[in-house]
Amino acid sequence: PTILCLPRSFECSQKNAVLVPAAVLGIGGMLVFWLRSRHKIQTIEMGDGWWGSGEKPLKGEEDESIRPFKIETSDKEIEDLHRRLEQARYTPPLEGAAFHYGFNSNYLQKVVAYWRNQFDWRKQVEVLNKYPHFQTTIEGIDIHFIHVKPSYIPHGRAVRPLLMVHGWPGSFYEFYKIIPLLTEPARHGLDGGDVVFEVICPSIPGYGFSEAPHQKGFDSIATARIFHKLMNRLGFKQYYLQGGDWGSLITTNMAQMLPQSVKGLHLNVIFVSKQGLGRIISVMLGAYVPWLVGLTREDAQRMYPFIQKNIYDLLRESGYLHIQATKPDTAGCGLNDSPVGLAAYILEKFSTWTHSSFLNQEDGALESKYSLDDLLTNVMIYWVTSSIVPSMRFYKENISRDPGLTANARTGVYVPTGIAAFPQELAHTPRTWAKETFKNIITYNYMPRGGHFAAFEEPELLAQDIMHFVRKVGQL
């Protein structure tokens, strides 16, 4: 029996000699795959789209030329505006209402009188045209953008491309005061170090001079893809991004989509959709022991009383959002037909989103931060392009789904990120919450003053923060 067993044991040992290393290799391979997949950065699918009228043409390449563009006006356009302004009807405000019921119509009449008799649209068109404008066709629609290069580049300095994206109810014009600070910092008394930018500011499709999508479903991810294609078309392989409001979501999506193209992402407002028990506990404890849940004293100051600031105040300021996320075309009819209605609807946001205390002022304290020329120029961009309705539709396209189920909500941001937290922003997001989405925060700064329209209201503060962030990224 012993002799009989020998060949078998030899067979067994031969099998083991093959099986054991195979098993070790198999388990090892699975472990390596698991470890690698853990470190593999998840991205949003880039996809493709067609937003032109009708079906996408089967043949023919898209015209990729970049065409110079100039904003123009006419006597007819100005006469039509003046006629409408003269025929406006007003409802007297309640006594002592200030801006608590919306735009105060006594002050509105003063704004309209200025608009009709003193505001010079031709002069403002010249101001708008002081930077080079272009259009190019992407995914079937004409995309408008300005592209500003430094007039002088000191020896040995690299020029960094920076894409800046606006939101609603703003426009590319919000960046007119910050652009010279970024392209020529030394000339404006800013210490840019070795940081000089060339700045590209596109108009979101459906806003201003970018053609509105003709198809349903145009959301922030489609916009992100189009803006990547734009930067690519301009010859940039890598670039920095900056955004607030919708611009923040669009640039975040760009970073999630092609992280290899994004050198750095700078935001002046951030959206985090993660909720749940952990967040509730964090909010409850944060009022009493903020340090225990990773909140700073400054966070606590900006977030509490929580119900007041994050529920009541946000509800008061977000009625427009519910309309625009459900039936934008209905309310849009009136706004597209009446310049006075349009101005009231837009300018009210430039009051209360700049500082919540402006509600208590009869004039919404609008002129304490902005000039009427600047404010009305932004309104005119919407008026002359009939873009208020498509700009409102952007809410429906982005908010009609459960935000927790969207691809961008489930995807982290791994590119170097800078956050400028302005004290009068509609809602404050502490760094500890931001880290759940933004995995590589390089700078997080509590800004000393300023609200929602940072580039428009505090261009110097924002410019300094962007330059500080980019310098830090350069040291990595």
Side-chain angles (χ1 to χ4, degrees), residues 245-266:
D245 195 86
W246 280 129
S248 169
L249 182 60
I250 292 162
T251 53
T252 298
N253 290 166
M254 290 177 77
Q256 292 166 319
M257 189 178 280
L258 290 179
Q260 67 275 20
S261 296
V262 180
K263 291 271 287 178
L265 169 68
H266 186 280

Side-chain angles (χ1 to χ4, degrees), residues 33-251:
F33 177 77
W34 179 72
L35 285 168
R36 284 189 67 180
S37 66
R38 276 184 71 210
H39 292 288
K40 193 183 174 201
I41 293 172
Q42 264 192 312
T43 56
I44 293 177
E45 198 65 46
M46 189 156 177
D48 205 1
W50 168 259
W51 308 103
S53 195
E55 292 289 311
K56 184 178 181 178
L58 292 170
K59 285 181 183 171
E61 290 292 307
E62 190 158 70
D63 174 10
E64 293 191 358
S65 65
I66 290 163
R67 308 174 290 276
F69 175 80
K70 204 170 181 197
I71 297 169
E72 290 173 338
T73 187
S74 64
D75 291 342
K76 193 179 163 194
E77 185 175 76
I78 295 167
E79 283 160 16
D80 175 65
L81 172 72
H82 286 174
R83 180 181 58 78
R84 289 168 188 263
L85 293 176
E86 286 159 6
Q87 292 179 351
R89 302 191 306 170
Y90 302 90
T91 305
L94 295 170
E95 290 176 19
F99 260 54
H100 283 276
Y101 286 71
F103 207 104
N104 186 296
S105 55
N106 286 344
Y107 176 60
L108 183 60
Q109 289 180 67
K110 291 177 186 170
V111 172
V112 172
Y114 180 88
W115 198 359
R116 170 64 185 85
N117 302 314
Q118 286 162 274
F119 178 76
D120 186 344
W121 176 232
R122 288 188 189 284
K123 186 180 138 222
Q124 292 309 113
V125 165
E126 279 177 37
V127 170
L128 288 172
N129 283 325
K130 78 174 178 178
Y131 294 133
H133 292 249
F134 303 90
Q135 275 189 340
T136 189
T137 309
I138 305 176
E139 297 188 6
I141 50 175
D142 290 338
I143 306 300
H144 159 263
F145 63 98
I146 54 175
H147 186 179
V148 189
K149 299 177 183 180
S151 56
Y152 164 72
I153 303 161
H155 180 68
R157 294 225 181 141
V159 179
R160 293 164 170 88
L162 173 67
L163 179 86
M164 303 188 81
V165 185
H166 66 88
W168 187 92
S171 63
F172 66 93
Y173 183 59
E174 282 180 76
F175 300 118
Y176 267 49
K177 286 185 173 70
I178 199 173
I179 286 170
L181 308 183
L182 295 168
T183 55
E184 298 170 311
R187 269 189 66 184
H188 295 87
L190 290 185
D191 173 26
D194 61 344
V195 175
V196 177
F197 296 98
E198 59 180 294
V199 180
I200 300 95
C201 299
S203 295
I204 299 169
Y207 288 67
F209 300 97
S210 274
E211 187 179 349
H214 298 265
Q215 312 292 335
K216 292 188 293 182
F218 186 85
D219 58 9
S220 63
I221 291 173
T223 315
R225 182 178 63 242
I226 281 177
F227 288 171
H228 270 310
K229 288 182 178 181
L230 170 65
M231 293 303 274
N232 204 255
R233 199 170 284 187
L234 290 171
F236 300 116
K237 294 284 172 276
Q238 284 194 310
Y239 31 89
Y240 288 87
L241 306 174
Q242 202 287 323
D245 195 86
W246 280 129
S248 169
L249 182 60
I250 292 162
T251 53

Side-chain angles (χ1 to χ4, degrees), residues 279 282 293-295 299 429-436 441 444:
R279 181 59 50 84
S282 171
V293 287
L295 300 181
D299 291 329
T429 304
R431 183 179 188 141
T432 187
W433 293 4
K435 281 194 303 192
E436 293 166 10
I441 297 173
Y444 180 105

Side-chain angles (χ1 to χ4, degrees), residues 303-314:
M303 286 166 62
Y304 298 96
F306 193 83
I307 301 290
Q308 180 64 49
K309 288 188 175 178
N310 295 274
I311 296 176
Y312 294 137
D313 289 359
L314 276 182

